[in-house]
Every structure is written in structure tokens, then in C-alpha cells.
């Protein structure tokens, strides 16, 4: 495409000069932050540093075209962009480097993410949405390379939905779909599958997205010849270039040191994406990385003398400075004054941030030293305690860890003592930990009144003679109610649209609600999840459908690193209430068999993992999550779609509670906990066991994250004094998690007369066909014999050995 020579507006030379000098001042300011930031890491004040030096100029150009309502989904070198938009000050930059836990001082994450990870606040204190159209927005960054790309797709698609779907309340979220989603990525990270999957999906969907590739020819120490075919990402993406007959991308190339070309390129990209809803890729070439990849090492180790000399000569800040002087925009003296002022500002910001970071620690240290000295005076172990005191006094710049560790170690020398000074020390330790721990552990889930676990149960109600229908009909009719009541709700996935999903749970809904709300997606699970995250971050209520549970592994990195951590890593300042729909359990074969549960419950802390036994329970979970604003994964039982269920008369209203178990059969001899499709087998066996005098209490876990917040399982064990957990996951997987929850966390160990036991699948994936399932996963005979053997051990007279 020919780049237009226009400028943003027809302005006077003085205004033009002021814009140029302001950009130069930001470039110098950002560079100085990078230089001093590296020094702070190397002196030990910060743990790690990764900076945006060498990328300043294109980020200034991008900032010029970034408008209110737009969203950024970038990576850890975008500090100049954030500074140019006044979304990051030098002092905040250093507070991020030091991991200050005060959200007012470190607004990006209150120290939960390392420096270079940027975000804005989308939510008010009460959890309601800010007016995102009145501010410039940055979705919270994550470190895994290219993982910001799938989310970018969803952020861009939201504009298309808002522009083209009628009936949605766009207040706070969109102005006629005119918002652009801006993505940034390093050239080496374009080697990742997430990048290519996003490129393809955005071209198919035609969404307003601008991707900038910062190309400095390296990925850490690995040069582009090992990263990219032809060493040129825009060259190999030529096939995506749109033409008169085919939709696709607009692809622009520009040198990263060429200020005017950068301004023009970004203005054109903004116009194309914003007005036409066409994705744009800007390949920003000939960039440098003056300090190397990060504080982990020096780039002199892997760059040639010739490359280093080229980088010194073509540093974008240096070239920008030369351009300013060559075009007589200002004088050498004025530039020197700007540089001197910027460096002073950064030095002062660094000093102030470090002082503010240390102030509460020093105050706490003073109090603690006095408490330890008092404890030492009355203790026979005074010598040992005094050494701890002296060691603490010697730490001029103490951390919270230093304070807590010294205080707790002192307690070892006070064992058996009973003094007022020991009591005061104990009280200080308890209060300090209680005060500090939330800075590192809060907001994994919503802490507001509408959190998902607070949504009250609404039981299914039935007519006097309810019709029995396939389970998939209950799901379909419940989805119909949801989409009717919530115009902002939409669902997408492989086969979700035209045929109404592979199990017909969405039958006929695309015809009723349109192709944008009930949509088919390509075979691209990572970007299906990414779409959902981005759409949810912009106020929509997406349901991302992954066809089968094991296909979820394609999107697991995004679910784990992005979605499940979002609320936590922003300290509740951003949210993405995405519902992920999938199906699994008990299908006969290695794939689609639902044996990934142990991994999911550990990798997705921050999401709800829900395992309904039938489609009525599943419908209730969808309704519950729609009333809340938190992400959840619902795993429908794959072999339950054709099983008959009585159809409730309150579909769209019934709610299955999250974190609550259900006792589906009462008994007195042993408590059996299971979930999903396995529950039907357990209930069958429970009836068979009654014939030999064993009365089983069967509990449906229903919700794995969280599990049994009311501790109803404990109450059952108090009655039966025996516990068996049955799960189709591999040994040590979900069953081990449930045992820990019940025996350790709930304290059921003290009521057990027999050892708690588990029945799991074999250590391998299940083999194919009915026989494969029988010999791979818990079967009815396994369950019968295990329960019988537990009762035999307890009472061999009444229950003689079976085999």
C-alpha cells in the first residue's frame, strides 16, 4: 500500500515543534528509565529487569494514533507507549521494578508482576465497569511470548460485535464499534503458534486490529535466521495481503528509526482498521536493543562487532535526535537541556520510589527491633536472640521477608517461656502476616457480593407430569432462554453454529440469533479461548466452546497464564467473565476421555471448574455464571446428551450452586465421593451393595474448584466414618486433590475408622472400545469390590472375604 504523506492535522510550526520535542522528551525519559532500571537490578534492589530501550520511536508513533476506547494487548517492552499516553510515570516504573505492593503507587499490578507488564484499570472499586470509551485501555500483560495475541483477537472482535449486533447496551464499552485493538510483539515471538493462529483467525473474522512487530533481528541470543523463514515476517505473510477480490490484511513495512514514516504508517493503519474493520500488520524493521534482552546477561556475548556498531549508529533515539537537528526543528542546546531535565527527573523518580518502598519496612523494623530486645532481656536465650537483633539492625534496607523471618526465628528461642514480651512479639507476628499476606494472595476470585459462590441455588421445578427429553434438549432450551435475556451473550466454537454443535445442544439457535452470536469457528482452540478473553474484557458475555475436553489442552496455556490469573494479577482491576464450555468423561478411547482433570484443577486456580452429572445441572451452572462476573469451565458429560431427563419448567432461571456438593443417596456405612458420568455407575453399585448389607452414602462433588465450601462431606464422614473417592482421572490426580480437601482441609481424618482410599483410572489413557474402557477406568465391579473390601477389613464376620 502506498503510504499517504498527510500529517495528523494542519498545524502551525510551533505546535509541530512542540509535538516533536515532547516526543523526544518521552523517548529520552523512557531510555533513562531503562538504563537506571538495569542498574537497580544489578545492584540487587530489584530482582529482574526487561526494558523497552531501542523501541521508543515506533511506540511514540503508535501512541499518536491510539484513541480513547482503544485497547492494547502487548508485551514487556512497551514502556514508552505507556509513558507517551501518560499511563505510566517514571516513579511508577520504578515502583513496578521494586514490586511495591501499594496499588496507588504501582497501579499496574501492585507488585504481583515484574516490571514491563502494563495494564489500566477497567473496574471501579465496587467491581462495576468504568467508561472504557472515555479512557485509553491496556489489557494486563503476561510474559509467555505471543500469548498476548489470542486475547488481542477478542478485543478487536468486540468492536465488530458492538457495531453489528443490535440490542446490546454499549454504554461504557463502545461507540459504534470504532475502537481498535493494538497488539505488539517481538519479531522472534512471531515464531510461536499463537501468533500464526491469531493472524489467520483475524483475517477470517476481519476485525479492527493492528499488530506491530518490533524487529531487532534477535530473540534473546538467537538471530532471525533461526527464527523466521527468509528472516522477514512481512515477506512470508504476503499471502495475507488483501486485494481487490479477496479480504485479508493490510501489511505495512517501516523502519523503526524513521519518525515521519512511522507517524504516517500508524495513521494509515488506524484509519484502515477503525473505519473498514480490516486487520493491519506493521512490520517495524531495523530496531535495536541497546542493553540486550534483559538483565540476565550481556548481548555482547552473541552479537558481532559489526552488529553492535550498526546498532550504535542506528539507535532510534540517536537517529531521531539527528533528524530534529538536520531539519532545524530546534537547537543542540535545547536538546541538551531536554536530556538533562529528563535524566534528572528519572533519577529523582528512582530515589523517591525507593524511599517510598522502604519507608513502611523501616518503620516496621524499628518496632520489631524494640520487641526483640524486650524479649531478649527476659529470656535465658538472650545471647542467641541478641544476635538476631544485631543481624536485623545491620540490614539497612529491609524487606518484608527479612522482618518476618527474623521475628519467627526468634520464637524458637522462646519455646516454653511465658512472658509479656513474648506475647507482644507473637501478636506482632500474627498481625504482620495477616496484614501482608493479602498483598500477595487476594483477588484470586471476586471478593464482591455477586461472586459466583454467593449466587443462591434455584432448584429445578417440574410440572406434575414432566416430559422426559434428551439431555441435549434441556441444554438447548436453556441456552435459548439465556440468549434471549442477554443480548450481550454469544457462543462460538467448532460446529457450534450451523449444525448447533456436535451434540445438538445449540440446535436452531443460529437461525434465531444470527451468525455473529451463535458462530462457527475454525479448528483453532487457542484463539477460541483468546476470543473469549478479549470479548469478556470489553463487557460482552462470551461462551467459548471447545469441542472435547482433551482439545482444551491447545488453549490451556492461555487459560492458565491469562484468564485464570487476570483478576489476581490486576488486584481486581480487570475481569474477564468468560464461560468455557466443553464435554468429556467416559467416552471409549484415548481421546475425549476426560482424564486431564488433575492437571486442570492445578493449572486453572482462579477459575471455577464445574462437573455436572447431567444436563439439568449443567444448565444451572450456565445460569449461575451468567449472574456473576467470573470465569468458569463447565465440562458436560459426553455420554449424557441422549439420556432422558425430566424437563424443568424454569429453564433460564434454575441455578446450580458453585462450591456445593449434593448428597444424591444417603447411607450409613461409607461415604463415596465422585462426579460426572462416573456417578451413574456409583449409584448403580450402591443399589447392588444394599443386597449384601452395605449402605453407601453417595456425594456428587459437582464443583471441583472450589470443592465443598460448606464442608458437607465432613458431616457425612462424621456419620459413616469411612471415605472412598472415585475418579476417572489418573492415579494421584483429581482423587488425590479431593482426598486432601476432605481429610486434611476439612479435618475428616479425626473421624475415620478406616484408611481413606481412592479408585482411579489406570496410569495410562483409556484404551479404545467397551473393553478398553472397562480395563482402563473404574468399572462397577471395581467399585463394588473396593467398598466391600473396606467393610470386610472393618467387620470380617459380617463381610467375609470376597476374593
Amino acid at each position: 500500500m502506498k503510504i499517504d504523506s498527510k500529517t495528523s492535522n494542519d498545524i502551525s510550526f510551533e505546535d509541530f515543534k512542540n509535538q516533536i520535542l515532547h516526543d523526544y522528551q518521552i523517548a529520552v525519559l523512557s531510555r533513562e528509565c531503562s538504563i537506571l532500571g538495569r542498574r537497580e537490578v544489578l545492584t540487587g534492589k530489584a530482582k529482574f529487569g526487561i526494558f523497552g530501550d531501542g523501541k521508543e520511536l515506533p511506540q511514540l508513533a503508535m501512541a499518536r494514533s491510539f484513541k480513547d476506547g482503544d485497547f492494547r494487548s502487548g508485551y514487556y517492552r512497551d514502556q514508552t507507549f505507556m509513558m507517551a499516553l501518560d499511563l505510566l510515570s517514571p516513579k511508577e516504573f520504578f515502583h513496578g521494578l521494586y514490586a511495591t505492593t501499594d496499588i496507588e503507587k504501582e497501579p499496574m499490578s501492585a507488585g504481583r508482576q515484574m516490571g514491563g507488564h502494563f495494564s489500566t484499570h477497567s473496574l471501579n472499586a465496587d467491581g462495576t465497569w468504568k467508561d472504557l470509551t472515555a479512557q485509553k485501555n491496556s489489557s494486563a500483560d503476561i510474559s509467555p511470548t505471543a500469548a498476548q495475541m489470542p486475547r488481542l483477537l477478542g478485543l478487536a472482535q468486540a468492536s465488530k460485535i458492538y457495531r453489528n449486533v443490535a440490542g446490546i447496551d454499549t454504554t461504557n464499552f463502545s461507540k459504534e464499534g470504532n475502537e481498535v485493538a493494538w497488539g505488539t510483539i517481538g519479531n522472534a515471538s512471531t515464531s510461536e503458534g499463537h501468533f500464526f493462529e491469531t493472524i489467520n483467525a483475524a483475517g477470517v473474522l476481519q476485525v479492527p486490529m493492528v499488530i506491530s512487530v518490533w524487529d531487532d533481528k534477535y530473540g534473546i541470543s538467537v538471530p532471525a535466521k533461526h527464527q523466521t523463514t527468509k528472516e522477514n515476517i512481512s515477506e512470508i505473510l504476503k499471502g495475507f495481503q488483501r486485494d481487490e477480490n479477496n479480504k485479508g490484511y493490510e501489511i505495512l513495512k517501516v523502519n523503526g528509526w524513521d519518525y515521519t514514516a512511522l507517524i504516517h504508517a500508524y495513521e494509515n493503519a488506524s484509519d484502515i482498521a477503525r473505519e473498514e474493520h480490516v486487520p493491519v500488520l506493521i512490520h517495524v524493521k531495523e530496531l535495536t536493543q541497546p542493553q540486550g534482552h534483559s538483565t540476565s546477561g550481556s548481548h555482547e556475548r552473541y552479537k558481532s562487532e559489526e552488529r553492535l556498531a550498526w546498532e550504535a549508529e542506528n539507535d532510534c533515539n540517536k537517529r531521531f535526535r539527528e533528524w530534529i537537528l538536520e531539519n532545524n526543528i530546534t537547537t543542540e542546546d535545547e536538546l541538551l537541556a531536554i536530556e538533562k531535565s529528563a535524566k534528572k527527573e528519572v533519577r529523582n523518580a528512582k530515589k523517591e520510589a525507593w524511599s517510598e518502598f522502604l519507608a513502611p519496612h523501616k518503620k516496621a523494623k524499628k518496632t520489631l527491633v524494640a520487641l526483640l530486645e524486650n524479649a531478649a532481656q527476659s529470656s535465658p536465650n538472650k545471647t542467641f536472640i541478641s544476635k538476631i537483633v544485631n543481624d536485623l539492625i545491620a540490614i539497612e534496607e529491609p524487606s518484608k521477608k527479612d522482618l518476618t523471618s527474623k521475628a519467627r526465628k526468634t520464637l524458637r528461642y522462646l519455646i516454653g517461656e511465658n512472658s509479656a514480651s513474648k506475647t507482644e512479639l507473637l501478636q506482632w507476628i500474627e498481625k504482620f502476616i495477616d496484614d501482608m499476606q493479602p498483598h500477595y494472595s487476594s483477588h484470586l476470585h471476586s471478593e464482591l457480593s455477586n461472586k459466583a459462590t454467593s449466587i443462591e441455588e434455584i432448584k429445578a421445578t417440574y410440572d406434575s407430569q414432566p416430559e422426559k427429553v434428551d439431555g441435549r434438549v434441556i441444554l438447548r432450551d436453556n441456552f435459548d432462554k439465556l440468549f434471549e435475556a442477554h443480548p450481550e451473550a454469544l457462543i462460538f466454537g467448532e460446529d457450534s453454529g450451523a449444525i448447533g454443535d456436535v451434540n445438538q445442544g445449540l440446535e436452531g439457535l443460529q437461525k434465531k440469533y444470527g451468525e455473529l452470536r451463535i458462530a462457527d469457528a475454525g479448528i483453532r482452540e487457542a484463539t477460541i479461548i483468546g476470543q473469549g478473553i478479549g470479548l469478556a474484557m470489553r463487557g460482552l458475555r462470551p461462551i467459548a466452546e471447545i469441542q472435547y475436553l482433551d482439545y482444551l489442552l491447545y488453549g490451556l496455556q492461555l487459560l492458565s497464564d491469562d484468564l485464570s490469573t487476570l483478576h489476581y494479577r490486576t488486584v481486581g482491576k480487570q475481569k474477564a467473565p468468560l464461560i468455557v464450555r466443553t464435554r468429556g468423561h467416559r467416552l471409549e478411547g484415548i481421546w475425549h476421555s476426560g482424564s486431564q482433570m488433575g492437571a486442570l484443577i492445578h493449572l486453572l486456580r482462579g477459575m471455577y471448574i464445574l462437573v455436572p452429572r447431567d444436563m439439568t445441572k449443567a444448565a444451572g451452572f450456565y445460569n449461575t455464571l451468567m449472574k456473576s462476573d467470573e470465569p468458569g469451565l463447565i465440562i458436560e458429560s459426553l455420554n449424557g446428551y441422549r439420556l432422558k431427563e425430566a424437563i424443568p419448567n424454569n429453564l433460564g432461571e434454575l441455578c446450580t450452586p458453585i462450591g456445593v456438593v449434593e448428597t444424591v443417596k444417603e447411607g450409613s456405612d461409607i461415604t463415596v465421593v465422585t462426579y460426572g458420568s462416573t456417578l451413574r455407575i456409583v449409584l448403580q453399585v450402591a443399589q447392588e451393595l444394599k443386597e449384601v448389607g452395605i449402605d453407601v452414602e453417595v456425594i456428587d462433588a459437582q464443583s471441583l474448584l472450589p470443592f465443598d465450601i460448606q464442608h458437607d462431606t465432613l458431616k457425612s464422614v462424621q456419620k459413616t466414618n469411612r471415605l472412598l473417592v472415585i475418579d476417572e482421572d489418573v492415579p494421584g490426580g483429581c482423587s488425590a486433590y479431593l482426598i486432601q480437601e476432605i481429610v486434611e482441609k476439612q479435618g475428616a481424618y479425626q473421624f475415620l475408622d478406616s484408611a481413606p482410599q481412592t479408585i482411579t483410572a489406570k496410569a495410562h489413557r483409556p484404551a479404545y472400545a467397551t473393553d478398553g474402557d472397562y480395563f482402563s477406568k473404574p468399572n462397577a465391579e471395581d467399585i463394588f469390590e473396593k467398598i466391600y473390601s473396606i467393610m470386610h477389613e472393618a467387620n470380617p464376620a459380617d463381610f467375609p472375604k470376597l476374593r
Side-chain angles (χ1 to χ4, degrees):
M1 175 182 176
K2 184 177 183 294
I3 295 178
D4 197 343
S5 61
K6 69 176 181 178
T7 56
S8 298
N9 293 290
D10 293 327
I11 57 175
S12 68
F13 176 78
E14 193 61 31
D15 288 339
F16 174 68
K17 172 184 174 181
N18 289 338
Q19 283 187 4
I20 300 298
L21 296 186
H22 177 264
D23 278 355
Y24 184 70
Q25 187 262 344
I26 296 295
V28 175
L29 199 74
S30 179
R31 177 65 60 86
E32 193 65 16
C33 283
S34 296
I35 293 169
L36 292 190
R38 181 180 177 84
R39 292 177 188 170
E40 291 299 272
V41 174
L42 298 180
T43 59
K45 288 183 178 179
K47 299 294 287 186
F48 180 76
I50 193 160
F51 306 109
D53 47 300
K55 315 296 186 294
E56 292 89 352
L57 215 56
Q59 291 181 32
L60 291 166
M62 185 170 80
R64 284 282 192 90
S65 293
F66 196 92
K67 299 183 183 301
D68 285 349
D70 287 359
F71 261 87
R72 165 190 168 274
S73 182
Y75 85 137
Y76 39 70
R77 301 204 188 278
D78 290 348
Q79 70 198 46
T80 308
F81 171 80
M82 297 296 288
M83 290 178 175
L85 294 180
D86 201 24
L87 299 174
L88 176 72
S89 70
K91 189 194 286 191
E92 290 168 344
F93 171 90
F94 285 104
H95 272 300
L97 199 62
Y98 302 141
T100 300
T101 55
D102 184 340
I103 192 70
E104 298 299 323
K105 292 182 172 62
E106 203 284 89
M108 301 300 143
S109 73
R112 294 186 177 186
Q113 298 210 96
M114 65 184 183
H117 292 71
F118 308 115
S119 66
T120 52
H121 296 180
S122 299
L123 307 177
N124 297 306
D126 62 357
T128 57
W129 292 98
K130 290 177 175 288
D131 184 353
L132 303 183
T133 68
Q135 64 181 42
K136 296 174 175 65
N137 304 284
S138 174
S139 58
D141 293 339
I142 52 178
S143 280
T145 56
Q148 72 272 27
M149 292 290 103
R151 180 209 314 147
L152 174 68
L153 177 68
L155 291 170
Q157 189 189 9
S159 291
K160 183 171 184 175
I161 298 297
Y162 282 125
R163 180 176 285 185
N164 294 289
V165 175
I168 303 176
D169 182 1
T170 62
T171 306
N172 294 340
F173 303 117
S174 181
K175 293 185 176 178
E176 300 179 346
N178 291 327
E179 302 78 24
V180 172
W182 302 76
T184 63
I185 189 169
N187 58 294
S189 295
T190 64
S191 303
E192 294 277 12
H194 285 346
F195 173 79
F196 281 97
E197 190 171 318
T198 301
I199 288 287
N200 183 57
V204 170
L205 292 173
Q206 289 291 286
V207 292
M209 182 175 89
V210 178
I211 295 180
S212 297
V213 179
W214 309 143
D215 190 349
D216 59 25
K217 288 294 184 181
Y218 282 84
I220 307 183
S221 67
V222 181
K225 66 180 181 180
H226 299 306
Q227 304 276 3
T228 309
T229 302
K230 299 183 180 181
E231 301 183 42
N232 189 321
I233 191 62
S234 57
E235 181 69 18
I236 65 173
L237 292 178
K238 275 183 177 179
F240 286 90
Q241 174 68 51
R242 63 176 179 164
D243 56 37
E244 292 180 359
N245 300 313
N246 298 284
K247 294 179 179 179
Y249 273 74
E250 195 60 62
I251 299 176
L252 308 176
K253 293 174 283 187
V254 61
N255 290 326
W257 46 261
D258 190 335
Y259 181 74
T260 53
L262 286 164
I263 295 294
H264 296 156
Y266 277 93
E267 285 183 338
N268 278 284
S270 176
D271 290 345
I272 292 166
R274 202 177 304 279
E275 295 168 12
E276 301 178 48
H277 276 197
V278 169
V280 182
L281 181 134
I282 305 178
H283 183 190
V284 184
K285 303 182 297 176
E286 296 196 7
L287 287 170
T288 68
Q289 204 150 275
Q291 298 186 118
H293 174 264
S294 69
T295 54
S296 293
S298 170
H299 63 154
E300 285 84 2
R301 293 179 301 162
Y302 53 84
K303 290 179 182 175
S304 68
E305 292 296 328
E306 292 77 14
R307 176 66 191 184
L308 290 169
W310 184 91
E311 289 194 6
E313 184 63 28
N314 290 282
D315 180 291
C316 65
N317 282 13
K318 176 179 179 293
R319 294 288 297 265
F320 188 26
R321 191 182 198 278
E322 292 169 349
W323 176 83
I324 292 171
L325 294 175
E326 288 169 1
N327 286 276
N328 297 315
I329 293 170
T330 193
T331 64
E332 174 77 19
D333 287 344
E334 190 166 0
L335 291 184
L336 287 171
I338 289 172
E339 292 158 5
K340 181 178 179 180
S341 174
K343 291 179 180 181
K344 181 179 179 181
E345 181 180 347
V346 173
R347 285 195 302 271
N348 289 339
K350 175 182 72 73
K351 183 178 178 181
E352 290 173 13
W354 184 242
S355 177
E356 291 174 0
F357 171 78
L358 280 180
H361 301 176
K362 288 185 172 181
K363 182 179 179 181
K365 172 187 168 182
K366 184 177 180 180
T367 301
L368 179 57
V369 166
L371 288 172
L372 296 181
E373 288 175 339
N374 288 342
Q377 292 304 317
S378 59
S379 173
N381 290 316
K382 178 179 179 180
T383 301
F384 300 103
I385 298 173
S386 294
K387 183 181 184 308
I388 293 176
V389 173
N390 292 334
D391 289 345
L392 180 57
I393 291 172
I395 302 174
E396 295 183 1
E397 298 175 337
S399 66
K400 297 185 184 79
K401 174 190 172 184
D402 294 328
L403 299 170
T404 314
S405 176
K406 298 297 184 189
R408 294 172 72 180
K409 285 183 177 179
T410 301
L411 290 180
R412 303 173 191 177
Y413 297 107
L414 299 174
I415 293 173
E417 296 184 27
N418 187 14
S419 64
S421 57
K422 177 183 177 181
T423 299
E424 289 179 353
L425 177 60
L426 280 168
Q427 290 173 344
W428 185 92
I429 291 172
E430 294 300 323
K431 186 177 188 308
F432 191 76
I433 293 175
D434 287 346
D435 289 344
M436 293 304 110
Q437 191 64 54
H439 289 300
Y440 303 94
S441 301
S442 69
H443 293 90
L444 181 63
H445 294 284
S446 172
E447 299 182 357
L448 302 171
S449 59
N450 70 329
K451 61 185 179 181
T453 50
S454 294
I455 304 300
E456 299 219 355
E457 179 179 16
I458 299 177
K459 292 183 180 294
T461 57
Y462 300 91
D463 296 333
S464 58
Q465 292 183 315
E467 180 185 2
K468 289 263 191 162
V469 298
D470 288 347
R472 63 108 189 161
V473 173
I474 291 174
L475 271 181
R476 180 199 65 191
D477 292 355
N478 192 76
F479 279 133
D480 189 11
K481 297 284 187 182
L482 283 182
F483 293 131
E484 184 177 38
H486 300 277
E488 72 280 10
L490 58 156
I491 190 168
F492 44 89
E494 297 159 18
D495 299 306
S496 300
I499 70 169
D501 89 39
V502 290
N503 299 104
Q504 299 288 278
L506 297 167
E507 180 190 22
L509 297 186
Q510 185 182 80
K511 185 175 181 181
K512 183 173 182 180
Y513 295 105
E515 293 185 5
L516 287 176
R517 292 188 65 194
I518 317 294
D520 283 313
I523 300 177
R524 49 175 181 79
E525 286 80 7
T527 45
I528 289 173
I529 297 298
Q531 280 177 254
I533 295 170
L535 290 164
M537 292 186 78
R538 290 194 57 192
L540 294 165
R541 293 308 307 267
I543 301 173
E545 181 174 334
I546 303 298
Q547 196 166 80
Y548 297 109
L549 181 60
D550 43 309
Y551 295 168
L552 198 72
L553 298 183
Y554 285 102
L556 186 56
Q557 186 265 321
L558 296 159
L559 291 169
S560 181
D561 291 330
D562 197 354
L563 181 60
S564 63
T565 69
L566 177 64
H567 197 259
Y568 168 79
R569 74 179 189 268
T570 63
V571 201
K573 300 302 182 184
Q574 291 187 356
K575 63 183 176 182
L578 168 63
I579 300 172
V580 180
R581 179 194 185 204
T582 191
R583 49 190 67 82
H585 310 311
R586 303 303 306 205
L587 186 69
E588 298 171 354
I590 289 179
W591 320 117
H592 317 331
S593 55
S595 58
Q596 299 84 15
M597 299 309 301
L600 296 178
I601 60 177
H602 296 304
L603 292 171
L604 302 185
R605 300 300 172 103
M607 291 182 66
Y608 296 113
I609 298 185
L610 311 173
V611 283
R613 66 180 181 268
D614 58 33
M615 301 311 161
T616 302
K617 290 291 183 181
F621 276 136
Y622 287 111
N623 298 341
T624 297
L625 286 173
M626 285 296 291
K627 285 186 175 182
S628 181
D629 59 357
E630 297 185 84
L633 168 65
I634 298 176
I635 303 167
E636 298 164 10
S637 292
L638 184 53
N639 56 9
Y641 295 106
R642 302 293 173 182
L643 296 181
K644 299 297 183 182
E645 298 181 37
I647 188 165
N649 58 23
N650 62 337
L651 291 176
E653 299 173 9
L654 65 96
C655 289
T656 308
I658 291 176
V660 178
V661 302
E662 182 178 351
T663 301
V664 293
K665 178 191 173 300
E666 293 191 354
S668 57
D669 291 326
I670 185 170
T671 299
V672 175
V673 179
T674 189
Y675 61 88
S677 296
T678 304
L679 183 81
R680 290 192 287 272
I681 303 173
V682 171
L683 286 173
Q684 169 200 328
V685 172
Q687 295 304 315
E688 296 170 356
L689 284 163
K690 287 187 74 173
E691 298 173 6
V692 295
I694 299 174
D695 192 9
V696 179
E697 182 143 298
V698 181
I699 291 179
D700 180 5
Q702 297 196 113
S703 171
L704 298 179
L705 284 182
F707 171 74
D708 192 9
I709 59 179
Q710 297 177 354
H711 289 195
D712 289 327
T713 309
L714 174 64
K715 298 167 191 171
S716 175
V717 173
Q718 286 176 317
K719 176 175 63 173
T720 67
N721 307 119
R722 295 177 184 86
L723 174 64
L724 176 64
V725 173
I726 302 174
D727 175 43
E728 63 179 53
D729 197 12
V730 294
C734 191
S735 59
Y737 159 76
L738 291 171
I739 284 285
Q740 184 192 31
E741 286 283 311
I742 299 164
V743 174
E744 181 181 328
K745 187 174 178 180
Q746 295 188 13
Y749 68 91
Q750 58 192 316
F751 302 104
L752 289 171
D753 292 337
S754 300
Q757 297 194 46
T758 66
I759 304 179
T760 69
K762 299 298 185 286
H764 53 76
R765 292 285 185 94
Y768 177 57
T770 300
D771 288 343
D773 178 77
Y774 186 87
F775 287 99
S776 299
K777 290 197 170 187
N779 58 59
E781 287 68 44
D782 290 336
I783 297 167
F784 185 101
E785 291 173 10
K786 172 67 79 171
I787 294 173
Y788 189 90
S789 70
I790 293 172
M791 298 306 297
H792 163 72
E793 181 185 45
N795 188 352
D798 288 349
F799 304 103
K801 188 173 182 179
L802 180 60
R803 75 180 182 108

